[in-house]
Amino acid sequence: MTVPVIAIDNLQKHYHKAWRAQPIRALNGISLTVEPGEAFGFIGANGAGKTTAIKILMGLIQPTLGQACIFGTPVSAPAARLGLGYVPENPYLYDYLSPLEVLGMSLRLHRVRVDSIDRHCRQWLERLGLAAVAGKALRSFSKGMTQRVAIAQALCIRPRLLILDEPLSGLDPIGRRDVVDILSEYKRAGGALFLTSHVLHDVERLADRFGLIHQGSLRAV
């Protein structure tokens, strides 16, 4: 039996505020699965619960109830995220590092072995249009350039799964097209994708299935 890439069962997240009688229900019992090689688009309005679900998958916050697994491993275990490429909505990268250093650090953290770390990283930076600034500090980069570094970092580890929260945010039209083409290539090679985006046209180009979340509830798949 094939193990799902992502398995979410009755996932709930409640935030308790001292001045509110009732907790804020960010997630209200969502359940879904993503199969190997599948691209799943997770769509909904701002505040619907998309980023909350992704933060739980990444182990950044804990659910109130329910469970989630990545490749059969509970997300509470750090091993679940080994070989997982992640791009948050607003990437924070150490701005005193260069793109080469960021990608090299990611390879070591995920225990990826390549013949030449420098050559491997430069190839991905070239794919993302960053070859000319490979050695420059990120503090001088625009939002779009930082976004491309984050995407290169996620892809360079040869991920078995990509989790992308608004990955096209801040990119110009050419950069958006290039990233969609790279993600399409990753998908054709058998990679699994779980992504959110407000640009439904781009999601339609990539996703095999869609999940619509509204006010913390999964309304349709």
Side-chain angles (χ1 to χ4, degrees):
M1 183 177 178
T2 303
V3 177
V5 174
I6 295 174
I8 296 174
D9 181 29
N10 190 32
L11 202 62
Q12 301 182 40
K13 181 62 179 178
H14 306 160
Y15 292 100
H16 295 270
K17 302 294 185 181
W19 62 88
R20 293 175 62 100
Q22 297 296 325
I24 299 172
R25 296 178 177 270
L27 293 177
N28 194 23
I30 68 169
S31 298
L32 62 87
T33 59
V34 178
E35 300 300 329
E38 182 179 27
F40 191 93
F42 201 41
I43 59 176
N46 287 333
K50 304 186 302 296
T51 297
T52 298
I54 286 178
K55 285 182 176 180
I56 290 173
L57 290 174
M58 295 305 303
L60 300 173
I61 59 176
Q62 300 298 313
T64 304
L65 289 171
Q67 62 179 0
C69 295
I70 295 176
F71 288 99
T73 302
V75 295
S76 57
R81 286 171 292 281
L82 192 63
L84 190 163
Y86 172 50
V87 179
E89 183 174 5
N90 296 299
Y92 177 81
L93 303 172
Y94 296 119
D95 64 0
Y96 54 87
L97 296 179
S98 69
L100 269 179
E101 291 169 324
V102 169
L103 270 61
M105 177 178 64
S106 189
L107 286 173
R108 293 181 178 92
L109 285 173
H110 287 271
R111 306 171 193 170
V112 178
R113 295 184 178 181
V114 294
D115 292 336
S116 168
I117 290 178
D118 183 80
R119 183 169 64 250
H120 180 80
C121 293
R122 288 184 184 276
Q123 287 172 346
W124 275 108
L125 292 173
E126 185 174 359
R127 289 287 307 276
L128 272 299
L130 296 164
V133 294
K136 294 187 177 180
L138 268 66
R139 63 170 57 97
S140 63
F141 284 19
S142 66
K143 174 176 172 54
M145 292 171 69
T146 302
Q147 188 77 8
R148 282 185 279 162
V149 174
I151 293 169
Q153 178 192 30
L155 287 162
C156 79
I157 65 168
R158 297 172 176 166
R160 52 182 183 166
L161 167 64
L162 281 175
I163 294 182
L164 311 173
D165 193 0
E166 299 290 343
L168 307 177
S169 174
L171 296 178
D172 58 31
I174 294 176
R176 186 182 299 272
R177 181 201 63 193
D178 290 344
V179 170
V180 170
D181 288 345
I182 290 170
L183 294 178
S184 296
E185 181 182 318
Y186 167 80
K187 177 188 167 186
R188 288 195 299 271
L193 280 164
F194 185 84
L195 72 155
T196 74
S197 179
H198 292 302
V199 184
L200 298 185
H201 172 70
D202 291 332
V203 180
E204 286 177 340
R205 290 180 59 187
L206 292 168
D208 302 303
R209 289 192 300 146
F210 302 85
L212 175 62
I213 185 172
H214 178 65
Q215 295 181 349
S217 297
L218 192 62
R219 301 302 176 94
V221 175

